[in-house]
Amino acid sequence: GSGAVDFAKAVGIPESNILSWDMEETKAGGPFDEILSVDIFINCIYLMKKIPSFITLDTIKKPNRNLSVLVDVSCDYTSPNNPVPVYDKATYFSQPTLQVPGSDSNNNPVLEVIAIDHLPTMLPREASQAFSNDLLPTLYALNERNSAPVWKRATDLFHSKVKEAGHSASPRL
């Protein structure tokens, strides 16, 4: 999300024209009519559980919608947790957009979706650097795996899944 905002600013979009939301703004649950008022919506959310949709096929048909481009960086169209369930397939670099059928009702613009699920492969160095920057602190904490929160959660999750599968095991680290 912050990368999308940085990009928008870098190409000259005034900050006053950028609707930048995070968990605080979406915690009340959607759908959100505010999203319909922007021209471009970039979804960069990472979900692990179901939340109310940000937009739906019904909400995009409301009159006076400005939204004409949905860039779904998260590209969770096959997930039951998808917060933008208005399309059902990925797009590709050779055909980067798809039109949402019926989105042009009520004199609205056609809603075009960009949902390239392998986007990081186009920027391998940048993707690798970002992944490394995110992963490195976790690896540094490995020596404190019994007390570091990330490793404690991983161990607890491991044990709960082993128990769920009907086994007993202890990780060897």
Side-chain angles (χ1 to χ4, degrees):
S2 62
V5 171
D6 291 344
F7 172 78
K9 290 178 188 175
V11 298
I13 298 174
E15 193 162 347
S16 61
N17 288 1
I18 300 171
L19 181 62
S20 178
W21 283 6
D22 207 335
M23 291 169 53
E24 181 64 27
E25 291 80 7
T26 59
K27 72 180 180 184
F32 300 103
D33 286 342
E34 296 90 339
I35 293 172
L36 305 177
S37 69
V38 301
D39 297 311
I40 302 169
F41 171 49
I42 304 174
N43 179 47
C44 303
I45 193 168
Y46 174 74
L47 287 178
M48 295 188 64
K49 62 181 182 178
K50 181 75 174 160
I51 63 168
S53 298
F54 293 168
I55 60 174
T56 66
L57 288 171
D58 288 333
T59 62
I60 64 169
K61 294 176 182 175
K62 288 184 176 181
N64 303 314
R65 171 179 47 84
N66 289 331
L67 182 64
S68 61
V69 178
L70 162 61
V71 181
D72 192 6
V73 176
S74 299
C75 203
D76 289 326
Y77 66 95
T78 61
S79 170
N81 298 339
N82 182 9
V84 289
V86 297
Y87 69 102
D88 60 0
K89 60 184 176 182
T91 61
Y92 304 92
F93 289 104
S94 59
Q95 192 171 11
T97 66
L98 62 86
Q99 295 182 350
V100 177
S103 62
D104 57 350
S105 63
N106 293 319
N107 292 319
N108 285 324
V110 170
L111 179 59
E112 299 274 351
V113 175
I114 300 170
I116 301 172
D117 63 357
H118 58 283
L119 199 53
T121 63
M122 292 305 294
L123 302 165
R125 185 181 78 202
E126 292 84 351
S128 295
Q129 288 171 337
F131 181 74
S132 296
N133 287 339
D134 291 343
L135 181 61
L136 202 53
T138 300
L139 293 177
Y140 283 141
L142 188 56
N143 284 336
E144 294 92 35
R145 67 183 169 273
N146 294 325
S147 60
V150 66
W151 290 110
K152 179 83 173 86
R153 287 191 309 271
T155 301
D156 292 347
L157 179 62
F158 171 80
H159 286 296
S160 73
K161 295 300 180 181
V162 167
K163 185 177 180 181
E164 211 174 274
H167 302 287
S168 63
S170 295
R172 293 183 180 197
L173 299 175

